[in-house]
Amino acid sequence: MGAGTVAWTAARRPTLAKGVVLVEPDCFHRLPEADPDELFEQSRTALNRASDRTVEEIVEEEYSELDATHARRLATGHLESDPAIAELARQGYPSPLVDALPDVSCRSLVLRSDVDVDQRVADLNAADSLLPGRLVHVPNAGHYVFRDSYDAAYKELQTFLRRL
């Protein structure tokens, strides 16, 4: 929920940031269908379960398909996260993220996964309200944009930072 948190903060506190980068934000067009209390319980259970394991056990059980460095980062994140952060899942977004975009007044870059044409059109239409901002669908990227297509995502990020 990091990208959403950044976007909503930039929308509500327009003088706080000179620029924001949103990488594959969740709840871009719609809120999750799951009940917030259910999401809270799922998040809390996952975080509590992680606290009883080692990094190596988490990597083996949950991230064995990823490269070792990325898997260790994710597993370490599980162990360093306080289960109380699961409360974020209960609070959720006030509305879909597209509702916040018109109020984000700082320079913005949205990096999205590579999706079909209909979804691209919907994303780009939503990003029309993001001024000054740019939405980029990163080729060959899924939810983990930088892991999936690092070079392309990094070039977009470098270009954005140079223009800040």
Side-chain angles (χ1 to χ4, degrees):
M1 293 175 60
T5 302
V6 168
W8 280 105
T9 301
R12 291 181 174 161
R13 305 247 195 273
T15 61
L16 190 62
K18 183 177 180 179
V20 295
V21 177
L22 312 175
V23 180
E24 190 58 18
D26 289 330
C27 304
F28 195 71
H29 293 282
R30 62 192 132 308
L31 296 177
E33 293 180 18
D35 176 81
D37 290 329
E38 191 178 312
L39 292 172
F40 166 76
E41 286 301 329
Q42 290 170 358
S43 297
R44 187 176 67 171
T45 299
L47 288 166
N48 282 329
R49 191 177 70 237
S51 67
D52 296 334
R53 298 181 291 170
T54 66
V55 168
E56 291 74 21
E57 289 170 332
I58 295 170
V59 166
E60 184 178 315
E61 294 170 19
E62 297 186 34
Y63 302 115
S64 60
E65 76 284 357
L66 301 179
D67 70 87
T69 302
H70 186 67
R72 286 190 63 79
R73 281 189 198 123
L74 291 172
T76 301
H78 281 275
L79 293 175
E80 292 178 353
S81 296
D82 184 325
I85 67 165
E87 189 62 41
L88 289 171
R90 188 188 331 254
Q91 297 302 317
Y93 297 124
S95 65
L97 194 58
V98 297
D99 294 349
L101 298 183
D103 296 326
V104 176
S105 57
C106 63
R107 292 190 57 108
S108 307
L109 172 64
V110 181
L111 297 176
R112 294 281 282 164
S113 58
D114 197 359
V115 292
D116 64 40
V117 172
D118 291 339
Q119 187 62 55
R120 282 176 182 260
V121 170
D123 289 352
L124 291 167
N125 285 338
D128 281 347
S129 66
L130 188 60
L131 299 175
R134 182 166 180 245
L135 183 141
V136 176
H137 290 97
V138 180
N140 304 312
H143 181 70
Y144 297 104
V145 173
F146 277 91
R147 180 196 76 196
D148 298 342
S149 193
Y150 181 82
D151 290 339
Y154 185 64
K155 285 179 186 175
E156 291 292 344
L157 178 61
Q158 282 181 312
T159 301
F160 173 77
L161 293 174
R162 267 186 265 155
R163 293 178 179 166
L164 263 184

